[in-house]
Amino acid sequence: MVGNAVDAFLEMLAAERGAALNTIQAYARDLGDMTDALRARGVSALDAGEADLRDYLSGLAEQGLAPRTQARRLSCIKQYFLFLAREELRPDNPAALLDAPRLDMTLPRFLSEAEVTALLAACEPEDDATPARRRRLLVARAALEMLYASGLRISELLSLPRRALDAAPGMMLVRGKGGRERMVPMSARARAAARALMDMDTVRKSPYLFPGRGPARPMTRQGFDRILHDVALRAGLDPQRLSPHVLRHSFATHLLAHGADLRALQVLLGHADIATTQIYTHVMLDRLRDAVARHHPLSSADGRG
């Protein structure tokens, strides 16, 4: 019966919430771990109490699991038991009052504006570059320009259809997490790089803007990582500091540093909750400190007053 309830819950995530396959697989693993732990205590998810769940979560901390992993497990458990209660598979929700572990705020890693400029410049092919090399750098330029111009997730970029830029002048239609669609602005530079990419024979034969080895499928994350690694070396950057997510963080950080509104950034990034976007307020705090240091009448010239 418990196994059937888990399957029904996972089917609901896929059908009603449009959860990605990776999310469903992660939830299946989390619920499997919880089920095994409860079974060892002689109870099941259908008759477990709040104390059983608290003991299970305490065990995760004792095992040395990171707070973020514990928080993800708790999120899964809360959703699962809410589902059981709503489907009347049990009369109560023992997970309703469970608290998440305290998470330390970690600032996102990002590049400086000069480093982004160097990265884009590194996509320019040498005069004696082979046709294959030129094509690879053309893909790199289009991808980097679009990631930095719009803050796309790498999954969103690689799944873009070839006609994604046809949505509206200066805009692009993106399908994000949970199947949610949003319109994002696209700079003239990024559009030009994407248009140049669309002229390639391999792209003309594919439904995707960034096709993989076979035109019927999009480029893989691993394939893009190899391209990013090469461009980082050409730009004189440590490839370990560079990832698609670092470019997304750079987009957000630089936008805020130049005066963008946090709510607007939330929409651009496709965050369902403003709390997720607030991790970037470190930039706003720096700006506020600088404003006080420069303009407050009791601040000294060097900002230490």
Side-chain angles (χ1 to χ4, degrees), residues 108-117 119 144 147-152 237 241-258 265 269 280 282-283:
R109 291 182 296 131
F110 58 93
L111 302 177
S112 68
E113 294 181 34
E115 287 173 325
V116 172
T117 299
L119 197 63
L144 294 179
L147 286 172
Y148 183 60
S150 61
L152 294 178
L237 300 178
R241 292 184 57 228
L242 190 58
S243 72
H245 220 58
V246 167
L247 286 168
R248 179 171 161 87
H249 290 324
S250 301
F251 160 82
T253 300
H254 298 168
L255 213 60
L256 276 179
H258 286 277
L265 185 61
L269 292 174
Y280 296 107
H282 69 96
V283 181

Side-chain angles (χ1 to χ4, degrees), residues 125-126 128-139 200 227:
E126 308 91 341
D128 59 350
T130 64
R133 180 69 168 169
R134 290 181 179 276
R135 286 195 299 272
R136 188 176 178 84
L137 290 174
L138 191 64
V139 171
M200 290 173 52
I227 292 176

Side-chain angles (χ1 to χ4, degrees), residues 7 36 58 97 110 137 175 199 201 232 243 245 252 261 275:
D7 290 342
D36 291 344
S58 296
L97 299 179
F110 58 93
L137 290 174
R175 184 180 294 274
D199 289 336
D201 289 341
S243 72
H245 220 58
D261 175 78

